[in-house]
Amino acid sequence: MKIGSRALLLILQNAPYILFVVLLVVFGLMSDRFFAIANFRNIIIQAAPIAILAIGMTFVLLTAQIDLSVGGIMYLTATVLALYMTGAPWPVGLAAVIFMGGFIGALNGVVVTRLGVASFIVTLATLFILRGIAMYLSNTRTLMFGDEILTLNRATVLGIPSAIFAFLVVFAVAWVILHQTPFGRQVYAVGGDPEAARKAGLPVARIVFFCFVIAGICAGVGGFVSITQIGAVGPKYGDQIEFSAIAAAVLGGVSLFGGRGSVAGTVFGAILIKSVQNGLNIINADPYIYPLVTAAIIFLAVAIDGLRTRIIERLERRTIRPVSVE
Amino acid sequence: MTGASTPFLRVEGVRKSFFGVTVLHDVSFAVEAGKALGLVGENGSGKSTSMNILGGVIQPEAGSMFLGGEAYAPADPKQAAAAGVAFIHQELNLFHNLTVEENLFVDAFPRRGVLPLIDRRAIRASTEEVLAEVDLQVKPSTLVAKLSQGERQLVEIAKAVSRNARLIIFDEPTTSLTRPEVERLFAIIERLKQRGIAIIYISHALEDVISVCETITVLRDGHLAGTAPKDDLTLQQIIAMMVGRSIDTIYPQRLRSGGGDRIFSVSGLSQPGVAENVSFDIRQGEIVGLSGLMGSGRSELARMIFGLDPFRRGVITINGKPLNDPTPRSAMDAGIAFLTEDRRGEGLLMDFTVSENTVLASLRSVAGALGILDKRAISRVSLDMASAMRLSTDRVDDTQVKHLSGGNQQKVVIGKWLRRQPVLFILDEPTRGIDVGAKQEVYRIINGLVERGSAVLLISSEIEELMGLSDRILALSRGEMVGSFDSKPFDREAIMAAAAGVGKLEAAE
Amino acid sequence: MTAVPPAHIAQSAIPRSGMGRLLKLVLSEYFILVLCLLYVAGIYPFVPEILTWGVWSNILGDMMPLLVVAIGQTFVLIVAGIDLSITAIISMAAVVGASVMTGTGGYLSGSAAAVPIAILVMLLVGVGIGFINGMSIVWLNMPSFIVTLATRMFFAGAAIWFVTFHSTSSSIADLPRSFSNFSTGSFSGIPYTVLVVGMIAVVAHVFLSRTRYGRWIYAVGANPKAARVSGIPVERTIMMAFLISGACASVAAMIYAARMQTGSPIAGENILLDVIGAVVIGGTSLFGGKGKIIWTVFGVLFLVILDTSMKLLGASLFAIYIIKGSVILLAAMMDTLRNRILAER
Amino acid sequence: RAQGSKTIAVLFDGLYSEFWVAGIQIIREDLKKRGFEIMEAISDQDDNKQFEQVRAAIARKVDGIIIVQTDSNAVIPAIRAANEADIPMVHFNRPPAPSDAFSVAIQADNQKISRDAVTYSCEVAKASGKKHKAAILIGDLGDPNAIQRRDGFQEAVDQYPDVIEVVAKIPTEWNADTAFAGLTNALQANPDISFLFTSSDFLIPQIQQALKTADKWHPVGNENHVIFTGFDGFPDAYALMKDGYMDACGVQNLFYETELAIQAILDLQEGKKVDKLLLDPGFAITQQNIEEKKEEMWGYVLWKEKNPG
Ligand SMILES: Nc1ncnc2c1ncn2[C@@H]1O[C@H](COP(=O)(O)OP(=O)(O)OP(=O)(O)O)[C@@H](O)[C@H]1O
Ligand SMILES: Nc1ncnc2c1ncn2[C@@H]1O[C@H](COP(=O)(O)OP(=O)(O)OP(=O)(O)O)[C@@H](O)[C@H]1O
Ligand SMILES: [Mg+2]
Ligand SMILES: [Mg+2]
């Protein structure tokens, strides 16, 4: 009985990962090209921008806020880069993007924390505004990037493709911030119980503010990694990406009500989504079924997670007397 | 003030109002280092408010405070903590999604050198140290969500101790502690006093206040009703100061007592890990007390009967009819009412008005065709409830319950169930956190209920209360019914022994 | 979560003078309506047409589909959920309904029963997707955000796919006249759409504010545990909100399909954030337990006036985005300010 | 607003690619030159919104409407409304579905143009004497243009079953990163893809990136050259044609179409009779005919402006 329930618990606790593996096996059976190192590298490269974005989103979600403006931040920062920094070396461009992303995030953060407007509305409004500004600046044209940026896609650091490297760096920094710094633990505290956080003397407003700044920075960086891949920025750039970022985070176990989740889970969510797309590409699926399959898998993953929480709660329910063997 | 030494904390003429209503008028008191001040008063008399001012949660409109001889005016909780004031709130202030050690240091993590990284090893070490000091045996890396209420309380104390607090405020620390936990808490408070820490202790359990504190300050309606060394006061005097009249018998006499038809019964109720073969019955007009240690499964039993928790086996019968697979709705339809022990979490919609809460469990009775609600009926019904329960406000339609004091909130929860004229009323800790005056009213209400023919299952951790009210007392231990006492006067020791599971052990040997 | 300031505290303390009355109006729940008036007054010099009958009948017409979806969304937000699938429901209901009644190859092409059955089918699609949403949330313990995100993705894709089986173009045309009458016809001067949506709004308002089911919805949104202990069927209540939202979205699908005489899988594809924005601007809380139909009406009116004025101005896309975003932000900030003033009174 | 001047509503579906940006620009400038006021609106691929925009234009009593409708069926009520208000309406680039409502359509035959361009490429493939594996980047499946171009592609390759095998149909949702990822993945699955069609030239940067990464970016003549067919006739596409990376490109004659559209509006306003359908035959520009046809390619004209000399 005990061993059985522990095994069940183990399976349940790793249910999303098991689903992921099943998915991989299915795709692998359908195409022998799927199980290639190069393909996994592709998946991670392709997941990098959205994963970086979703990592930023995780900070905001952990404080029970939401940031719908990330797509707008991506679009505007990339547009500015394409228009005004054509000749600049890429590190300057990256720095500029980080700065701009952080600045816009700070604006979101100020309105949310100082004026107390719900973040959903604030970031919805800034989403419109940012996209509008970017369209104005670019005259709604598709802007191209020069070789300085384009060659980055094929560059490697220590043998690791640049996109993966960037993603690993962002992930590592985010993980350290969340788990090893006072700020990170306070993010969890604020999300877990804002009232208690206030009473405990935590600078709630400042913490939430910085989470928006981080989300902004991540949006800028994610956008930068994305443009090294696609080489251009057009009016649909970053459109609706906020939903993908949130979906990745939630798939990875982040709660929209704050205080629960981790960046590792988020990264897993992003990779899961991209694996589905990759697998469908590889098996040359009918284009019409892409959204159907993707939606079904997201649904399944979250359904399993919901079931898992329920069963684990039941298994771990406090017992006040020994459970008699039946 | 007594004593020659200058007090460690002095509060003078503090005033505070909310929405134009003054809730503290010129309140003054003082605490000496190494001594405990008891702060008592009815619900809503301003105890928590004055402590919130001390703790920097809110700011007073007038008055001054001195701490260690210096002017003290904390602008936020952080400043209060920095000045050495620790506040253990009535509603515990822990983060359930963080570990014990993280909770201890959440607002001031020690860092590793200049890097903004948490010095995990340092917090592990000092956490272990303070946990030992407060006698709490859990791993520092345990999530607080996994701790019991008592353990959480100790974590809060550990937090205060780890900060080298010089003044620790306890606001209602014992409401969810078992008696042994309470004793342990008192021992720790004693130790803290010996280390020169000043204590402010707020409680409605006046005996506890008397046993812990050197000095007692009484508040009434936000005014200072008096301060005196505890040796100069009797319990009766304190109560008289609190409520402005004297209360002789806390447990009012009932006209009719017990002995109607058997109206409710449970037989063979079992749920693995929670309850084992529980059987009992209740007669009309009878109050059956359910005693047991905290965590003995009394609340779970009540929740199973009311359909909130599942059970594997057993038969519940009410009014002669079986209640199969109860849900709260079917239980209610069968005539059961359930007063939850978690007033804030389950009892009330805090942002809603008194009248909205009052009718929540009996909407059908104020709804006409198509479920359309009769607003006038709702107001009337709620006003009736307010006057019957002697609620502090009669603006039932626009007072949100979160602005009521704990006792008044409790009255609203009870009132909302009384509307249904229940056949069986299950009361889980009906007087938790409410003052003597309010308690007496709740007792009066319970008696009235029984006199009108309802049956009551009363769960309480206050053995006095059980003995004062019940016609019969059952003892539950680890999910098993271990004793039944129906001869008044009750044998206090026997009940407690049974609840602790001792009686059974002895029998087995 | 951001603290929601207490909604209605001591409003009676305001003097009854003219100035006081204006202040009272600004501080009342009609605040967004006041903003609408101010906005119209402000924009009038630039587009005097804004005060013509033609424009207002357009505003009214444009409001209807948005409003009916927003009403459904209000229910969902009050039970502390969110329904992102509304646009997919609209798409799916529109194309399925169209496939039933289209004159070219519809299932019931030419039959007299085609239109009523198509309407029924559209409702069923809406309620069905609402049911899937509700079921997943209630039984499978899933957060509504992700459930409805998934159903949105699924049914938006399914609607596009569905059309390929019924039409060579990307939409299903040739809907019966009697159906498109719904958008063009009127009853003693009041367009049918206004009549229908108006009725839905009134019923929704009464349902929410006057019936015990309405109380269930608020209670569940405010505190599901307390609601459960009070004997409220929490699961059923959540389910009900999502069913209502699905049904409302299918009514919007009817309006769209009738108006364009086409079952298009992309009609109203981009209104999601507008709808939620309108409801929230109206004052309904995203965290549940608070909201009113009348607020939603004002919120939608505000957004449609904003949109209409942009159209009349012929503003370019970027200008629309910037102005719309700024005005929404401004409105939200003023609303927050208003609530703060109320709370401090 | 100047009194007495006439207003034309210019209602576009979206400005997602340079084609539309250039189109609206040319129309805008031309109308201004002729002294018209312009009322612009973009429907953002929402046919209901577009309907509302038409109604707003009618409410503003414009003197003519140039529209790029989102959906050929859904636009019909809008045409009827314009008919009722007696406002002439011209469809730029896309025809409405047949109906009794009156309006003038300038049509570029997406399907035919893409078929012609792809057919040329198929001939090239056939001439190589090898079999080719082909990939197509499909646009948004809800966008009729995307569907027509896909169908044109399909019709063309169906004529060459022995030469072309379509191994990858990549949905892009008109999304650059989806396209990039999709093509990369397709190349992973089928490293020997040697024939590529994109439903719009705006995806060129992503294609270039993906092919470069797979070491498949080589001009005509190189044995690793991927036979590449574009659509739209972007400046970029001209540059690639010139440098030999692209074999053929379906071109819509933008200048001709704008000219037709404006002329039609003017004629209608003067009460002249105009045909319901004005065709832009478009053409496929190929490595063979590039020199003779390039002047008709709008992308070349723009390219020349940007790269003088
Ligand atoms: N934030 C607030 N807003 C409005 N009124 C408040 C607020 N906090 C407290 N009050 C009011 O102030 C009065 C004093 O409340 P307080 O919490 O200090 O009482 P208490 O003595 O601690 O009571 P209890 O024993 O029930 O805890 C009460 O009438 C209460 O309704
Ligand atoms: N060991 C524990 N682990 C987790 N939660 C606990 C534990 N002990 C107590 N709690 C929580 O504290 C709350 C208070 O529990 P309580 O002491 O009232 O015990 P009970 O079993 O509910 O009933 P009672 O003490 O009334 O018999 C419970 O609702 C429970 O959630
Ligand atoms: Mg208190
Ligand atoms: Mg209990």
Side-chain angles (χ1 to χ4, degrees):
Chain A
M1 167 80 198
K2 194 134 202 204
I3 292 168
S5 75
R6 195 172 300 167
L8 179 62
L9 208 65
L10 202 69
I11 291 176
L12 282 171
Q13 251 149 7
N14 297 299
Y17 307 102
I18 294 172
L19 175 74
F20 182 54
V21 171
V22 169
L23 201 68
L24 295 188
V25 170
V26 170
F27 281 133
L29 288 177
M30 293 174 79
S31 166
D32 50 356
R33 284 278 165 184
F34 187 77
F35 273 122
I37 301 294
N39 193 42
F40 288 120
R41 198 177 56 206
N42 279 347
I43 292 178
I44 297 177
I45 289 177
Q46 288 159 17
I50 187 77
I52 292 173
L53 226 66
I55 287 172
M57 186 68 83
T58 303
F59 279 83
V60 174
L61 293 179
L62 279 175
T63 59
Q65 305 286 347
I66 198 163
D67 188 350
L68 300 177
S69 71
V70 287
I73 296 177
M74 267 175 87
Y75 182 25
L76 181 56
T77 54
T79 300
V80 170
L81 201 61
L83 280 175
Y84 306 112
M85 309 193 64
T86 34
W90 70 263
V92 176
L94 181 59
V97 159
I98 290 177
F99 177 78
M100 284 186 287
F103 180 74
I104 299 168
L107 290 182
N108 282 334
V110 164
V111 182
V112 170
T113 57
R114 294 287 156 225
L115 303 182
V117 186
S119 55
F120 189 96
I121 281 292
V122 173
T123 56
L124 176 62
T126 45
L127 170 65
F128 281 125
I129 296 172
L130 295 171
R131 294 202 81 85
I133 295 174
M135 283 181 186
Y136 169 71
L137 294 178
S138 65
N139 212 348
T140 335
R141 282 171 197 275
T142 300
L143 307 169
M144 309 288 177
F145 289 91
D147 277 346
E148 175 75 19
I149 298 235
L150 294 187
T151 48
L152 279 179
N153 178 41
R154 288 179 291 282
T156 57
V157 186
L158 310 169
I160 306 170
S162 57
I164 298 184
F165 184 77
F167 152 65
L168 287 178
V169 168
V170 172
F171 171 62
V173 170
W175 189 88
V176 169
I177 289 178
L178 275 182
H179 293 273
Q180 298 301 333
T181 68
F183 170 76
R185 301 322 291 166
Q186 289 170 348
V187 167
Y188 279 90
V190 167
D193 189 342
E195 188 53 33
R198 208 176 59 80
K199 283 191 187 156
L202 300 185
V204 175
R206 187 140 43 101
I207 291 165
V208 173
F209 170 81
F210 277 115
C211 286
F212 278 100
V213 173
I214 290 171
I217 290 175
C218 286
V221 175
F224 188 86
V225 173
S226 168
I227 56 175
T228 65
Q229 297 176 2
I230 64 178
V233 47
K236 281 205 90 174
Y237 183 73
D239 192 28
Q240 307 244 349
I241 205 162
E242 61 276 2
F243 288 120
S244 310
I246 295 170
V250 174
L251 266 183
V254 177
S255 162
L256 292 166
F257 300 100
R260 191 170 79 93
S262 72
V263 281
T266 298
V267 165
F268 166 77
I271 291 178
L272 177 62
I273 293 177
K274 284 295 169 182
S275 304
V276 176
Q277 199 205 340
N278 174 280
L280 290 169
N281 281 147
I282 296 270
I283 63 170
N284 191 25
D286 182 338
Y288 285 102
I289 70 162
Y290 276 63
L292 277 58
V293 173
T294 313
I297 286 171
I298 291 180
F299 185 89
L300 202 63
V302 181
I304 290 176
D305 188 59
L307 218 60
R308 171 182 73 137
T309 336
R310 197 167 272 194
I311 294 177
I312 287 179
E313 258 169 26
R314 194 172 305 158
L315 287 179
E316 290 185 343
R317 183 176 287 169
R318 180 165 67 116
T319 55
I320 51 187
R321 52 178 299 109
V323 181
S324 50
V325 184
E326 312 224 347
Chain B
M1 288 298 317
T2 56
S5 59
T6 52
F8 175 65
L9 169 80
R10 204 147 45 87
V11 172
E12 282 175 2
V14 164
R15 191 169 68 230
K16 177 73 189 175
S17 52
F18 291 109
F19 306 116
V21 181
T22 308
V23 297
L24 283 182
H25 308 259
D26 292 335
V27 168
S28 307
F29 53 85
V31 204
E32 287 169 40
K35 295 278 163 59
L37 170 74
L39 200 55
V40 298
E42 285 185 285
N43 290 120
S45 56
K47 305 180 297 291
S48 296
T49 304
S50 34
M51 292 308 110
N52 279 327
I53 290 172
L54 269 181
V57 179
I58 54 177
Q59 280 67 46
E61 280 139 25
S64 48
M65 301 187 282
F66 300 92
L67 193 74
E70 285 168 35
Y72 169 68
D76 55 42
K78 205 162 184 144
Q79 285 184 13
V85 175
F87 187 0
I88 298 173
H89 288 264
Q90 197 165 359
E91 325 291 344
L92 290 185
N93 225 2
L94 295 171
F95 302 100
H96 295 194
N97 57 342
L98 300 185
T99 61
V100 170
E101 58 191 7
E102 285 170 347
N103 263 287
L104 291 192
F105 292 95
V106 69
D107 53 336
F109 281 107
R111 303 187 174 190
R112 251 191 282 171
V114 288
L115 291 175
L117 297 181
I118 297 171
D119 189 342
R120 291 266 176 198
R121 211 170 311 154
I123 68 171
R124 176 68 46 93
S126 40
T127 303
E128 273 165 356
E129 198 173 306
V130 287
L131 288 187
E133 210 160 324
V134 299
D135 250 347
L136 180 59
Q137 276 129 21
V138 299
K139 276 203 222 130
S141 58
T142 318
L143 279 182
V144 165
K146 302 219 150 136
L147 300 183
S148 74
Q149 205 59 21
E151 288 168 333
R152 290 177 192 171
Q153 185 98 48
L154 291 177
V155 172
E156 281 270 24
I157 298 171
K159 182 170 175 179
V161 171
S162 74
R163 291 308 161 72
N164 296 318
R166 295 181 294 163
L167 168 68
I168 302 182
I169 303 166
F170 291 91
D171 192 352
E172 298 273 10
T174 56
T175 44
S176 45
L177 297 192
T178 62
R179 203 61 219 174
E181 281 173 331
V182 172
E183 298 301 337
R184 185 158 72 156
L185 174 67
F186 290 172
I188 291 166
I189 290 179
E190 204 50 46
R191 238 186 289 160
L192 296 175
K193 285 201 280 193
Q194 270 156 25
R195 285 170 41 177
I197 295 172
I199 305 282
I200 297 180
Y201 187 92
I202 300 175
S203 179
H204 291 294
L206 301 180
E207 296 89 347
D208 289 353
V209 177
I210 291 173
S211 82
V212 169
C213 303
E214 282 77 22
T215 314
I216 292 174
T217 290
V218 182
L219 291 183
R220 184 162 84 227
D221 286 342
H223 293 272
L224 186 66
T227 295
K230 75 163 168 204
D231 299 331
D232 299 357
L233 288 169
T234 66
L235 190 58
Q236 290 307 322
Q237 281 173 310
I238 297 176
I239 292 174
M241 277 164 84
M242 279 170 63
V243 298
R245 65 196 151 96
S246 62
I247 294 180
D248 318 319
T249 50
I250 291 194
Y251 303 106
Q253 212 50 47
R254 230 182 306 152
L255 299 176
R256 201 158 60 89
S257 160
D261 296 335
R262 182 186 302 169
I263 206 169
F264 176 80
S265 78
V266 167
S267 83
L269 195 70
S270 299
Q271 165 75 5
V274 179
E276 182 63 38
N277 205 15
V278 173
S279 306
F280 64 94
D281 47 41
I282 306 178
R283 292 167 187 280
Q284 194 180 20
E286 186 185 35
I287 298 179
V288 172
L290 190 56
S291 82
L293 297 181
M294 200 139 317
S296 57
R298 296 165 302 171
S299 299
E300 276 82 355
L301 180 59
R303 299 178 74 84
M304 284 189 258
I305 294 170
F306 194 63
L308 286 165
D309 283 358
F311 57 87
R312 188 74 56 86
R313 269 197 312 275
V315 181
I316 298 168
T317 317
I318 180 159
N319 263 340
K321 280 185 254 120
L323 181 60
N324 297 322
D325 287 330
T327 63
R329 276 178 84 72
S330 67
M332 282 163 64
D333 288 341
I336 303 179
F338 172 65
L339 181 85
T340 162
E341 63 184 336
D342 183 1
R343 188 164 64 220
R344 295 183 143 260
E346 293 189 335
L348 292 169
L349 303 174
M350 300 307 277
D351 286 335
F352 286 56
T353 64
V354 171
S355 54
E356 281 165 342
N357 273 286
T358 306
V359 297
L360 195 63
S362 51
L363 285 169
R364 208 176 297 163
S365 73
V366 286
L370 295 171
I372 307 269
L373 297 172
D374 180 347
K375 284 200 168 168
R376 234 172 305 154
I378 292 179
S379 295
R380 197 183 56 235
V381 159
S382 307
L383 261 179
D384 288 351
M385 187 281 299
S387 66
M389 306 296 288
R390 298 193 202 157
L391 209 63
S392 65
T393 179
D394 59 357
R395 303 198 38 180
V396 289
D397 288 336
D398 35 38
T399 307
Q400 287 168 291
V401 289
K402 71 174 169 204
H403 294 300
L404 295 179
S405 74
N408 281 303
Q409 288 177 357
Q410 188 72 358
K411 288 180 193 171
V412 175
V413 196
I414 298 178
K416 117 179 168 186
W417 287 113
L418 288 187
R419 286 216 6 85
R420 295 185 60 90
Q421 300 280 4
V423 177
L424 169 72
F425 200 164
I426 307 175
L427 298 158
D428 195 358
E429 309 284 3
T431 60
R432 177 176 284 182
I434 67 176
D435 66 59
V436 269
K439 262 183 195 169
Q440 199 191 22
E441 292 204 24
V442 169
Y443 299 151
R444 187 181 51 77
I445 294 162
I446 295 176
N447 278 343
L449 189 68
V450 175
E451 275 160 16
R452 266 176 283 131
S454 295
V456 166
L457 178 64
L458 175 69
I459 299 173
S460 172
S461 295
E462 280 184 49
I463 192 86
E464 306 295 342
E465 184 171 285
L466 279 181
M467 299 201 311
L469 288 176
S470 310
D471 297 305
R472 195 147 55 89
I473 293 179
L474 305 172
L476 199 69
S477 170
R478 305 223 295 163
E480 230 172 308
M481 214 47 108
V482 290
S484 173
F485 304 84
D486 38 12
S487 54
K488 276 194 176 182
F490 295 108
D491 178 351
R492 184 191 166 105
E493 306 307 320
I495 296 173
M496 287 178 68
V502 180
K504 204 182 162 217
L505 269 180
E506 277 172 359
E509 272 167 18
Chain C
M1 305 262 139
T2 39
V4 184
H8 18 250
I9 296 164
Q11 289 179 13
S12 50
I14 303 162
R16 274 185 190 273
S17 65
M19 207 43 210
R21 211 165 279 172
L22 183 70
L23 189 65
K24 187 168 175 176
L25 202 61
V26 169
L27 289 181
S28 76
E29 57 185 10
Y30 297 101
F31 168 72
I32 293 292
L33 193 60
V34 174
L35 271 192
C36 290
L37 297 179
L38 290 179
Y39 182 81
V40 169
I43 202 85
Y44 175 73
F46 305 99
V47 264
E49 290 95 341
I50 192 99
L51 284 186
T52 60
W53 169 241
V55 168
W56 274 89
S57 82
N58 280 357
I59 289 180
L60 204 61
D62 294 353
M63 255 184 85
M64 290 309 122
L66 276 184
L67 178 59
V68 73
V69 214
I71 288 172
Q73 190 71 246
T74 307
F75 280 87
V76 172
L77 291 185
I78 295 177
V79 289
I82 192 164
D83 189 351
L84 305 178
S85 69
I86 42 176
T87 57
I89 296 177
I90 292 174
S91 305
M92 199 68 205
V95 298
V96 174
S99 76
V100 170
M101 61 184 157
T102 174
T104 39
Y107 293 114
L108 293 175
S109 179
S111 152
V115 172
I117 290 187
I119 289 177
L120 198 70
V121 166
M122 290 167 97
L123 265 178
L124 279 181
V125 169
V127 171
I129 300 177
F131 180 77
I132 297 175
N133 289 334
M135 183 203 70
S136 319
I137 293 157
V138 168
W139 292 345
L140 300 178
N141 207 14
M142 297 165 73
S144 59
F145 192 100
I146 200 81
V147 168
T148 56
L149 189 61
T151 47
R152 163 187 160 86
M153 197 188 270
F154 189 92
F155 288 104
I160 290 174
W161 199 19
F162 184 85
V163 170
T164 62
F165 300 111
H166 294 87
S167 164
T168 48
S169 74
S170 55
S171 57
I172 302 175
D174 196 13
L175 304 190
R177 263 289 147 83
S178 56
F179 179 73
S180 43
N181 257 350
F182 176 48
S183 86
T184 49
S186 60
F187 177 77
S188 56
I190 308 169
Y192 288 140
T193 51
V194 176
L195 215 58
V196 168
V197 176
M199 243 149 57
I200 292 177
V202 170
V203 170
H205 171 77
V206 171
F207 185 79
L208 207 46
S209 65
R210 294 285 170 77
T211 69
R212 57 199 195 99
Y213 310 106
R215 288 293 170 93
W216 288 2
I217 289 178
Y218 284 105
V220 168
N223 184 344
K225 276 191 191 166
R228 191 160 129 79
V229 171
S230 302
I232 291 169
V234 175
E235 285 82 11
R236 228 193 306 154
T237 306
I238 294 175
M239 177 64 90
M240 178 167 77
F242 280 91
L243 292 182
I244 291 174
S245 177
C248 284
S250 66
V251 173
M254 291 171 208
I255 298 176
Y256 283 144
R259 164 189 267 204
M260 291 173 303
Q261 295 159 26
T262 304
S264 158
I266 55 170
E269 198 181 40
N270 300 324
I271 62 167
L272 174 65
L273 290 179
D274 279 5
V275 167
I276 299 178
V279 179
V280 175
I281 288 248
T284 297
S285 164
L286 282 164
F287 307 116
K290 184 179 163 226
K292 283 189 184 178
I293 297 296
I294 186 82
W295 296 353
T296 295
V297 174
F298 297 153
V300 172
L301 176 67
F302 181 71
L303 223 65
V304 173
I305 289 180
L306 198 61
D307 260 351
T308 304
S309 65
M310 295 290 140
K311 274 177 219 149
L312 290 174
L313 277 170
S316 41
L317 193 56
F318 71 83
I320 292 181
Y321 275 134
I322 295 175
I323 296 175
K324 193 163 156 183
S326 311
V327 173
I328 290 178
L329 191 58
L330 214 64
M333 291 203 279
M334 287 167 78
D335 190 51
T336 312
L337 198 69
R338 162 187 153 249
N339 275 316
R340 210 175 273 182
I341 293 172
L342 277 179
E344 275 163 18
R345 260 163 189 281
Chain D
R1 189 184 313 161
Q3 285 295 318
S5 78
K6 292 190 164 183
T7 306
I8 304 286
V10 180
L11 311 177
F12 268 46
D13 171 40
L15 297 177
Y16 297 122
S17 78
E18 203 130 345
F19 178 82
W20 300 112
V21 178
I24 203 168
Q25 203 102 329
I26 294 168
I27 292 176
R28 206 187 274 150
E29 276 158 21
D30 199 332
L31 286 174
K32 269 205 191 116
K33 234 182 291 167
R34 295 173 200 252
F36 286 103
E37 281 280 325
I38 299 165
M39 171 183 170
E40 255 181 64
I42 309 293
S43 69
D44 221 354
Q45 291 193 318
D46 180 338
D47 33 27
N48 174 62
K49 197 162 169 187
Q50 190 163 53
F51 181 76
E52 292 174 358
Q53 286 165 347
V54 172
R55 287 211 313 199
I58 293 171
R60 210 182 121 171
K61 304 198 170 57
V62 296
D63 303 283
I65 297 173
I66 297 178
I67 188 170
V68 180
Q69 69 268 8
T70 297
D71 186 276
S72 60
N73 292 315
V75 74
I76 289 170
I79 307 175
R80 291 214 174 93
N83 286 169
E84 254 165 54
D86 221 7
I87 296 173
M89 189 156 179
V90 171
H91 304 262
F92 176 64
N93 192 264
R94 297 175 186 170
S99 76
D100 54 353
F102 179 76
S103 58
V104 172
I106 317 296
Q107 178 187 3
D109 193 335
N110 275 298
Q111 197 157 332
K112 175 184 162 293
I113 299 171
S114 70
R115 187 176 60 220
D116 291 351
V118 176
T119 303
Y120 170 84
S121 296
C122 289
E123 285 297 335
V124 173
K126 194 174 175 185
S128 74
K130 285 184 284 192
K131 286 197 73 164
H132 290 265
K133 287 195 173 161
I136 170 177
L137 290 166
I138 303 171
D140 191 315
L141 293 166
D143 176 354
N145 284 334
I147 301 305
Q148 289 169 13
R149 293 171 196 177
R150 178 199 65 186
D151 293 347
F153 165 85
Q154 197 61 47
E155 282 174 17
V157 294
D158 283 349
Q159 302 301 313
Y160 299 84
D162 305 331
V163 185
I164 310 283
E165 181 198 354
V166 182
V167 293
K169 293 177 184 160
I170 305 159
T172 68
E173 299 158 21
W174 287 144
N175 233 327
D177 57 337
T178 316
F180 170 77
L183 183 55
T184 305
N185 295 337
L187 290 169
Q188 166 68 27
N190 302 283
D192 47 354
I193 282 175
S194 54
F195 190 100
L196 178 64
F197 173 67
T198 173
S199 299
S200 169
D201 287 342
F202 97 89
L203 296 172
I204 286 176
Q206 293 80 53
I207 292 168
Q208 200 168 335
Q209 282 290 72
L211 288 181
K212 270 186 189 165
T213 307
D215 192 24
K216 283 178 161 291
W217 187 248
H218 304 286
V220 177
N222 185 305
E223 63 169 326
N224 287 326
H225 169 70
V226 173
I227 300 172
F228 180 24
T229 317
F231 195 99
D232 277 337
F234 273 34
D236 269 10
Y238 172 73
L240 292 188
M241 297 277 305
K242 181 174 70 72
D243 298 340
Y245 288 97
M246 189 183 265
D247 294 84
C249 186
V251 180
Q252 317 189 52
N253 197 335
L254 182 63
F255 299 122
Y256 183 58
E257 287 183 24
T258 51
E259 174 65 39
L260 279 179
I262 290 171
Q263 198 52 52
I265 280 279
L266 295 177
D267 289 350
L268 288 170
Q269 280 175 348
E270 287 167 20
K272 287 186 198 161
K273 209 168 134 30
V274 186
D275 281 345
K276 267 187 99 167
L277 191 65
L278 305 173
L279 262 184
D280 164 22
F283 59 93
I285 197 159
T286 64
Q287 286 294 346
Q288 251 170 11
N289 67 9
I290 180 162
E291 285 312 316
E292 59 188 276
K293 284 281 204 181
K294 70 180 181 191
E295 294 294 338
E296 290 173 43
M297 181 184 186
W298 61 276
Y300 168 72
V301 178
L302 295 187
W303 179 86
K304 206 168 59 177
E305 277 170 20
K306 268 189 258 172
N307 302 280

